[in-house]
Amino acid sequence: MKIFLVSSEVIPFAKTGGLADVCGSLPVELRRLGHDVVVCMPGYQSAQTGSQPVSETGLELPVELDGREVRGRLLTSRLPDSDVPVWLVQNTELFDRPGLYQDEQGDYGDNCRRFSFFCHFALELLRVHEWFPDVLHCNDWQTGLVPALLRTRLSGQPGYRDIATLMTIHNLAYQGVFDEREMASTGMEAEYFNWRQMEFYGHINLLKTGIVFADAISTVSPQYAREIQTRERGCGLENVLRERSNRLLGVLNGVNTSVWNPGEDRYLAATYGVASWRDGKSANKAALQKEAGFEPQSDVPLIGLVGRLASQKGWSLILPVMTRWLESRAAQWIVLGTGDVAIEESLRQLRRRFPSRLAVDLGFSDALAHRIEAGADIFLMPSQYEPCGLNQQYSMRYGTVPVVHHTGGLADTVVDANPQTVSNRTANGFAFESFDEGSLESALARAVATWTGNPAVWSQLVETGMTTDWSWERSARRYQELYHWLRDV
């Protein structure tokens, strides 16, 4: 099967979040399953100056936007350790910038035009190469015009009319909403600016556009697919999504098991597997405590947090609970992340008060992220909402037991330890239902009590998490089923 995957982010070329991980990993696994896959993305500065070589092709093409011709050129590369081609759409005016979507002043004012150009150019490349896919897999609002263009302007053209489209929503909160005056930039006729197709409360909504015109819609976890059809999590698009519920499903993201592998991780003090996790985690915990400036204490739980310092990630609950525990309970905490300045300042103040029990790194270090996953006993991830989440999967792969809010992908991956799940050996962590301080604190207390007083159950949780298949191969096989279904309906 021929699969064309279009995305605004692909690791290692450009990344701001999990979208890049998906679009850099899924195509490689699909190729291993025997599919002919091509990836297409914008040719940002970071894409051209990174670790992966990028080549000029000499191919230059025109695209007509808002009544004038805009020319772009094609660069090529490959995904690392694979033969999957990457087509990079380059235009100096639109993509030769330090940031992907914004600078220090905020979002770029011409983002609608930038990604409209990208969508038009990507579709034109199919004609030029005479390579028409069976499935065109779009990702997030930046590619929302692709299904619309296929079903309108290109619907009668040879090669294009038989392409099936999948629109994947990675985070519904980001929708690509623009002023109505940008319709000319999209290349779509004004008639499509209506409440059933592109219009959203008087504005253009490119994610809605993709949802409406695509043959099917997916999200990055089954639970999130259900949640976004509710008023609480639908971000204003719940009615649109409910109308398409028979074409909406969730496919859980995987993790790169060659990068996140405790048995071969070059960042760790000691590597280990499921048969040697006690010694391995003990060595990594001692090394992490030393790195954090803590006294190495094997009998004190070490709680790790890695990720954005944002309200979505549950920091309104974490900070008061962390403060109480630092004041009254024997536990060590280590935080890695950056984001909201108020959260950063709160963490600095707590660090000054409790330097022997709280370590804070306000930035991002891939190496330290790996060491926290390996050295912590408990990983805390109480997100208010979480489309999929990867850190809880990393944690379980490294034998670190997660404590999470029961939402989105966290609900799909973390099975709360209760008498029934412990008895049937499906438990792999601790989860709480209500998003409030008391529920988080109770779940964390249960985790620490189990770690301290019930080593047999703790071992079961660790080993269940470590032996579960979190790989992209599992996810790719599910996408493969979805692609075949799209071609058959």
Side-chain angles (χ1 to χ4, degrees):
M1 183 178 291
K2 292 180 179 178
I3 301 159
F4 191 46
L5 187 144
V6 291
S7 174
S8 63
E9 298 180 29
V10 180
I11 201 168
F13 301 97
K15 175 178 177 176
T16 65
L19 168 64
D21 296 292
V22 174
C23 295
S25 300
L26 175 60
V28 175
E29 293 300 332
L30 291 169
R31 184 72 190 93
R32 288 174 181 158
L33 292 174
H35 301 290
D36 185 5
V37 188
V38 176
V39 175
C40 188
M41 65 171 293
Y44 309 107
Q45 280 184 3
S46 63
Q48 298 180 66
T49 59
S51 58
Q52 200 69 3
V54 173
S55 303
E56 294 275 358
T57 66
L59 177 63
E60 189 171 304
L61 298 172
V63 167
E64 185 176 315
L65 289 181
D66 43 29
R68 69 185 182 92
E69 184 181 278
V70 182
R71 301 189 70 83
R73 70 185 201 275
L74 175 66
L75 313 177
T76 61
S77 186
R78 292 188 180 275
L79 292 179
D81 303 318
S82 79
D83 62 354
V84 176
V86 179
W87 294 349
L88 298 107
V89 176
Q90 220 293 312
N91 174 283
T92 302
E93 175 193 351
L94 299 177
F95 297 123
D96 195 9
R97 306 177 186 185
L100 305 192
Y101 315 118
Q102 59 189 184
D103 57 20
E104 58 274 7
Q105 273 77 50
D107 290 347
Y108 294 129
D110 60 349
N111 272 346
C112 184
R113 191 165 183 272
R114 295 172 74 223
F115 292 102
S116 295
F117 170 79
F118 169 61
C119 292
H120 282 265
F121 198 99
L123 288 168
E124 182 65 10
L125 287 173
L126 302 179
R127 182 189 63 78
V128 171
H129 285 88
E130 296 183 347
W131 187 87
F132 293 98
D134 299 294
V135 175
L136 206 161
H137 188 163
C138 306
N139 294 271
D140 276 352
W141 70 263
Q142 295 89 345
T143 63
L145 267 182
V146 169
L149 292 169
L150 280 172
R151 296 295 166 257
T152 56
R153 294 182 56 170
L154 300 173
S155 62
Q157 295 194 21
Y160 290 104
R161 58 180 157 228
D162 296 324
I163 299 174
T165 55
L166 174 66
M167 186 79 218
T168 295
I169 301 167
H170 295 262
N171 190 331
L172 190 66
Y174 301 98
Q175 299 182 8
V177 177
F178 300 99
D179 192 278
E180 177 187 357
R181 289 172 293 184
E182 294 287 347
M183 272 300 289
S185 295
T186 69
M188 294 285 289
E189 300 295 331
E191 66 189 84
Y192 296 108
F193 186 76
N194 64 76
W195 70 273
R196 296 200 66 87
Q197 292 173 314
M198 296 182 70
E199 186 267 341
F200 182 76
Y201 295 100
H203 292 76
I204 300 165
N205 186 315
L206 292 182
L207 182 60
K208 175 183 176 179
T209 301
I211 291 169
V212 168
F213 283 98
D215 294 311
I217 307 103
S218 71
T219 70
V220 291
S221 73
Q223 177 70 14
Y224 191 59
R226 293 186 287 271
E227 290 176 355
I228 61 175
Q229 297 179 64
T230 68
R231 184 177 181 181
E232 292 75 21
R233 292 282 180 266
C235 300
L237 293 178
E238 58 272 13
N239 292 330
V240 177
L241 291 161
R242 279 200 297 268
E243 283 187 10
R244 304 224 60 199
S245 60
N246 65 329
R247 294 296 183 101
L248 169 63
L249 73 164
V251 180
L252 191 68
N253 283 344
V255 302
N256 188 329
T257 53
S258 61
V259 172
W260 292 93
N261 180 359
E264 299 178 357
D265 195 326
R266 61 191 175 92
Y267 295 125
L268 305 189
T271 55
Y272 58 97
V274 69
S276 57
W277 69 265
R278 290 175 180 82
D279 290 340
K281 286 195 66 66
S282 177
N284 282 288
K285 179 177 179 177
L288 185 60
Q289 288 173 317
K290 182 178 180 181
E291 182 177 357
F294 300 155
E295 180 183 346
Q297 293 176 284
S298 61
D299 59 343
V300 172
L302 179 55
I303 302 166
L305 299 95
V306 177
R308 285 185 297 113
L309 306 182
S311 58
Q312 179 212 330
K313 298 299 182 179
W315 279 94
S316 62
L317 310 185
I318 296 168
L319 283 170
V321 170
M322 179 189 289
T323 302
R324 286 196 292 272
W325 280 49
L326 288 168
E327 290 171 343
S328 62
R329 299 189 64 144
Q332 296 171 336
W333 300 69
I334 182 164
V335 178
L336 170 64
T338 185
D340 186 286
V341 293
I343 297 172
E344 289 186 357
E345 181 56 30
S346 295
L347 287 168
R348 287 191 191 96
Q349 293 178 13
L350 285 172
R351 167 65 174 169
R352 286 193 287 268
R353 289 178 61 193
F354 304 101
S356 65
R357 283 189 283 156
L358 172 63
V360 178
D361 189 318
L362 297 176
F364 185 75
S365 162
D366 191 43
L368 180 54
H370 282 245
R371 291 195 289 273
I372 292 173
E373 296 289 9
D377 299 300
I378 294 167
F379 191 88
L380 188 57
M381 196 172 176
S383 304
Q384 185 172 9
Y385 69 93
E386 192 67 62
C388 178
L390 294 175
N391 279 103
Q392 83 278 15
Q393 297 182 61
Y394 299 154
S395 298
M396 289 185 281
R397 185 156 168 77
Y398 279 62
T400 300
V401 175
V403 174
V404 305
H405 178 215
H406 187 87
T407 186
L410 300 176
D412 286 320
T413 52
V414 179
V415 179
D416 182 59
N418 58 49
Q420 181 179 348
T421 59
V422 169
S423 176
N424 63 26
R425 306 187 73 83
T426 58
N428 57 18
F430 298 85
F432 61 96
E433 294 283 347
S434 299
F435 187 74
D436 57 63
E437 289 179 35
S439 298
L440 166 58
E441 193 158 15
S442 176
L444 186 58
R446 284 196 294 127
V448 170
T450 306
W451 180 83
T452 303
N454 201 331
V457 171
W458 192 263
S459 296
Q460 181 184 318
L461 300 180
V462 168
E463 290 164 16
T464 298
M466 291 187 75
T467 54
T468 300
D469 181 9
W470 304 113
S471 71
W472 266 112
E473 180 183 356
R474 168 188 53 81
S475 303
R477 290 189 182 279
R478 185 69 185 94
Y479 273 109
Q480 178 180 248
E481 294 172 3
L482 177 53
Y483 297 153
H484 280 300
W485 174 78
L486 271 172
R487 295 301 299 162
D488 294 339
V489 293

